[in-house]
Each structure stands twice: as structure tokens, then as C-alpha cells.
Amino acid sequence: MKTRLLKGTSGDIDIAASIIKEGGLVAFPTETVYGLGADALNAEAVEKIYIAKGRPNDNPTIVTIAEQQDIYELCPHVTEDMKKLMDAFWPGPMTMIVPAADIIPPVTTANLPTAGMRMPDSDLTRELIRRSRPLAGPSANLSGKPSPTTAQHVMDDMDGRIDAVLDGGPCRVGIESTIIDMSSDEPMILRPGMITRAQFEEVLGKRVLLDKTLNVKPDPAQGDFKPKAPGQKYKHYAPNAPMILFQGEHEKVMAAIEEEKKKHEQAGEKVCVIAFSENQSELAAHEIYARLREADKEDVDIILATALPEQGEGFSVMNRMLKSAGFNIKEV
């Protein structure tokens, strides 16, 4: 299979829509990362996503829609709280876990009674959905690798594995959407993103819980755990080289990284340093995956990176960095 690189012309959107309607795979842009789309209501098409990515089949996809009204066909009961969040944050980087309608096949939800719903802030992708179908859309990378934030990143991983990539330019945000579970009476964030807990609480006027496993080293005994959302169970965002996160005061961290860098270079190793200051959480979100992918291209032996304060957006970026580093942290 040769993967086609499509642009945002009306004709190319029609080509992408035809591929989706015929059961094929098209990678699509969003404001967060590129997604890998198949017709969410076509079980055979969704199965191809798992094969292309090498994705475990108990890791649910996210259903990507074009309009708020689309959710009413896909969720049997849309609550007032769900409507508040939709009005506040869609289109945008929020995924809601909601009860799944019977028309959504089990492969799309990983056999769960719930499904993640997402309405991205990408006119190009929403037009693709209008011309085709709701999309099952996990990130368009090989399973476990850093997510793609450009069409070229997708091609690096998926060329020859999928039918087409719809190029919408670089992603604006850079890390995946916040996932909030709205399938019970107590809203809970299952994956942090650029929409924060405080923002949700302001809109809902109630407490929002945080999944207690967030930013905590996973328990190896969780083998039977069935994730409700992507990113909860399996290895994610990992570069090829081992990665160490240095945590502490910024000046001490930079000195420790420089010392560690010299040690590895003296041993003949190629070192990549990824450094963000304490107030650069947004920049880190935008650039972290691209920098990890560049490290892979340069075939480095080790990656040394600065940790960020785990507050607000920094908490979300650190969620990705901790998983990228396999929770390998040095306190300085």
C-alpha cells in the first residue's frame, strides 16, 4: 500500500471521505495531535486501526465528530453537565467519556459500555467528517511512540500502513486532549490535557476528581485493568533512547544535566538535552513530541530533560514526559 499525502483542497477532502466510506484509514489533523481515522461505526474498518498501529485491542479509540448534535446519535443520554462542557470546550481539546449507543461496535469502545467523544478544533477534519462518517480516531503513530504533530511525523510511522494523510499543517497544542469521564455522577479526569481541572470545575460548579493513577508509576500488577480511555494502561510516548527527567530548582537541574551530559559524551555516547524553564509549560506541550522524534532521527543514546512544575498545564505535560521517560526521575 502506498500512503497518499493529501492537502486541504475540497477535492482532496472528497478523496479522504471516499476512503473512509469505503472502510479505509486516513490520518487527520487536530489542534492537539494527528489522529488515525476510520469509520467509527464500521467494525472491520476500526479493526484496521489496531493492526496499523500495533495497538492492544483493549485500548479504546475516541469517536471524533463534526458537530455537537452528532453526539445525540452516539450517546443514549446526554446530561445537562455534558451540555455545559460541550458549550464551553467544543470545538476544542476535550474528550468526554459517555455511555455508548448500540450503533457503536464493540471494537471501537474496546468492549466497554462507554465511548470517548471528541469534537476537534480543525475545520479541515470536521469537514472530512461531514462528508463521510464519525471517525474512530486514536493518535496516528505506532503504538507506544511519541504522538505525531505534523503530517511528516505520521508518514514517518505510517507510510505504507494506511491509505492517506490529510495534511493540515503543524498542530497548535501539541499534546492530546483532556479526557473527562462523564459516565457517572462524579466527573473524573482520566487523562490531563490543556483544559485543566480548575476550568472544568468552574463550568460545572462542582468538584472534578483526578484519576489517582495520573503521574504515578504504574503498578505492574494491573494486568487485568481495563482502561476506559487511551493512555491509562500501556507504554506511551516513548522515544527509542532511554530518557532521564531531572527535577528540582532550575539552575541545579541544568548543572546536573550538564554534568550527566559530559559523563555520557566521555563514554562516546550521543546525548540529547531537552530543556524547558519552569514557566514554559505551553511551549513544552507544543514541542515535546517533535523533540523526542528528532532524538530518534538523530539516533541518540540518551535523552536528558528538565521536569516541569506539576501545576496547571505543567501537570499535563509532565504526564507525557513521565511516561516517555518510564518514570525515570533524578531529584537534584
Side-chain angles (χ1 to χ4, degrees), residues 8-27:
T9 66
S10 183
D12 275 3
I13 296 171
D14 278 340
I15 292 170
S18 295
I19 292 169
I20 294 295
K21 288 186 285 188
E22 291 167 6
L25 302 182
V26 176

Side-chain angles (χ1 to χ4, degrees), residues 233-295:
K233 180 177 178 181
Y234 294 98
K235 180 182 177 184
H236 282 273
Y237 326 121
N240 293 333
M243 178 172 167
I244 305 172
L245 283 177
F246 290 77
Q247 195 163 47
E249 292 180 10
H250 188 70
E251 288 185 6
K252 291 181 179 179
V253 162
M254 294 309 297
I257 285 178
E258 186 60 30
E259 184 178 341
E260 188 80 12
K261 179 173 181 278
K262 286 179 181 177
K263 183 178 75 175
H264 285 279
E265 287 178 340
Q266 286 169 358
E269 295 180 335
K270 193 171 185 180
V271 180
C272 170
V273 173
I274 300 177
F276 299 106
S277 65
E278 295 174 348
N279 61 352
Q280 289 185 316
S281 296
E282 198 166 320
L283 177 66
H286 186 260
E287 293 188 0
I288 184 61
Y289 291 147
R291 294 201 191 185
L292 292 176
R293 284 179 169 271
E294 190 62 31

Side-chain angles (χ1 to χ4, degrees), residues 123-197:
D123 293 339
L124 183 57
T125 288
R126 289 166 63 205
E127 184 59 29
L128 167 63
I129 295 167
R130 291 186 194 103
R131 298 188 193 186
S132 57
R133 304 278 282 166
L135 300 175
S139 54
N141 56 302
L142 292 173
S143 188
K145 292 299 179 184
S147 297
T149 55
T150 68
Q152 185 57 53
H153 293 165
V154 180
M155 292 294 283
D156 290 343
D157 278 13
M158 291 292 165
D159 193 10
R161 291 173 171 264
I162 64 176
D163 297 287
V165 179
L166 192 58
D167 187 354
C171 298
R172 172 173 52 83
V173 174
I175 61 170
E176 297 82 358
S177 60
T178 309
I179 298 180
I180 183 167
D181 186 359
M182 298 297 292
S183 64
S184 69
D185 292 335
E186 293 188 303
M188 178 183 288
I189 293 175
L190 302 183
R191 181 178 73 189
M194 298 308 273
I195 300 173
T196 65
R197 180 185 193 178

Side-chain angles (χ1 to χ4, degrees), residues 26-193:
V26 176
F28 58 89
T30 76
E31 74 281 23
T32 56
V33 302
Y34 273 73
L36 179 54
D39 178 351
L41 307 184
N42 180 337
E44 290 183 3
V46 176
E47 187 64 39
K48 293 177 185 177
I49 289 178
Y50 288 91
I51 295 168
K53 282 176 61 70
R55 183 182 179 90
N57 62 11
D58 67 343
N59 195 8
T61 67
I62 289 171
V63 179
T64 310
I65 60 177
E67 312 290 347
Q68 284 193 21
Q69 66 195 38
D70 296 347
I71 197 173
Y72 292 92
E73 181 188 9
L74 302 167
C75 172
H77 181 54
V78 178
T79 66
E80 288 303 313
D81 279 348
M82 291 177 197
K83 291 176 187 176
K84 288 178 183 177
L85 294 185
M86 289 157 58
D87 288 341
F89 301 117
W90 277 358
M94 175 189 73
T95 296
M96 289 195 306
I97 303 294
V98 301
D102 292 340
I103 61 169
I104 303 177
V107 66
T108 302
T109 66
N111 293 298
L112 293 169
T114 56
M117 298 287 164
R118 165 108 152 91
M119 180 179 157
D121 187 10
S122 166
D123 293 339
L124 183 57
T125 288
R126 289 166 63 205
E127 184 59 29
L128 167 63
I129 295 167
R130 291 186 194 103
R131 298 188 193 186
S132 57
R133 304 278 282 166
L135 300 175
S139 54
N141 56 302
L142 292 173
S143 188
K145 292 299 179 184
S147 297
T149 55
T150 68
Q152 185 57 53
H153 293 165
V154 180
M155 292 294 283
D156 290 343
D157 278 13
M158 291 292 165
D159 193 10
R161 291 173 171 264
I162 64 176
D163 297 287
V165 179
L166 192 58
D167 187 354
C171 298
R172 172 173 52 83
V173 174
I175 61 170
E176 297 82 358
S177 60
T178 309
I179 298 180
I180 183 167
D181 186 359
M182 298 297 292
S183 64
S184 69
D185 292 335
E186 293 188 303
M188 178 183 288
I189 293 175
L190 302 183
R191 181 178 73 189

